[in-house]
Amino acid sequence: MLKIRPAQESDVDAIFDLIRGLAAYEKLSDRVTGNTELLRSHLFGERPYTEAIVAELGDLPIGFALFFPTYSTFLTQPGIHLEDVFVQPEYRRQGVGKALMNFVAQIAHSRGCGRLEWSVLEWNQNAIEFYQRFGATVLPDWKTCRMSAETLAEIAMKPQID
């Protein structure tokens, strides 16, 4: 029986294993530089930065979603950014991904969010089609921008006003 529930601190090791599974699927395993203790502190520490939900079959964690709050100045409403949603390959096409997405959407709705947003890799046509079937719009005119920790450190060391 499938169960979707908020993550508990005891789930951190399983969630990190699922994160590794996601990275392997996306051919990005070399980019996983974090660890379970950082994840634990970011999910359950003094100042949580993110939340997670877990999909279980029996006692076996088979998927997860990780998300955090955002804010839209145009809507003047909170939102949620879905950082990752992942289901182990052998459990796909059984409604697990949809159940995870539904759970996050329900959280967003209950919190009065104006939107739920996430990114998808251009090559991941299966995910794009899944999200579109779910009711999402893939925005063609937006690109993700990112600064690395190294760039942030460089900027932090520069004078604020030139």
Side-chain angles (χ1 to χ4, degrees):
M1 177 129 175
L2 180 66
K3 181 179 180 182
I4 308 294
R5 61 169 177 77
Q8 301 167 357
E9 193 166 352
S10 59
D11 295 317
V12 169
D13 290 338
I15 293 169
F16 197 72
D17 286 342
L18 290 164
I19 290 170
R20 285 191 194 120
L22 170 62
Y25 173 74
E26 292 181 344
K27 299 172 183 64
L28 298 171
S29 292
D30 60 321
R31 295 200 186 162
V32 178
T33 60
N35 59 60
T36 56
E37 288 313 306
L38 283 172
L39 182 61
R40 183 181 322 282
S41 71
H42 295 154
L43 282 168
F44 301 104
E46 190 174 310
R47 181 179 179 199
Y49 290 96
T50 190
E51 298 176 62
I53 59 173
V54 176
E56 290 179 321
L57 268 182
D59 290 334
L60 180 65
I62 60 167
F64 81 105
L66 190 136
F67 56 94
F68 51 86
T70 61
Y71 190 79
S72 168
T73 54
F74 286 11
L75 298 178
T76 60
Q77 285 186 288
I80 287 181
H81 178 82
L82 179 61
E83 179 66 17
D84 288 317
V85 61
F86 178 72
V87 175
Q88 291 283 18
E90 60 269 29
Y91 298 101
R92 292 186 186 153
R93 303 203 186 286
Q94 298 176 35
V96 180
K98 186 175 182 182
L100 286 165
M101 293 294 294
N102 280 337
F103 201 96
V104 175
Q106 290 168 358
I107 290 170
H109 179 71
S110 72
R111 294 179 185 177
C113 292
R115 60 173 62 136
L116 171 62
E117 294 182 307
W118 63 93
S119 299
V120 61
L121 292 167
E122 286 181 337
W123 60 261
N124 196 343
Q125 194 60 38
N126 287 338
I128 291 168
E129 291 170 7
F130 168 75
Y131 296 140
Q132 288 173 327
R133 283 192 309 272
F134 191 72
T137 302
V138 178
L139 303 174
D141 51 345
W142 289 84
K143 298 286 185 186
T144 301
C145 298
R146 178 177 293 158
M147 286 188 183
S148 67
E150 293 79 16
T151 302
L152 292 172
E154 288 173 21
I155 292 170
M157 301 308 282
K158 291 181 182 176
Q160 296 299 312
I161 300 175
D162 288 332

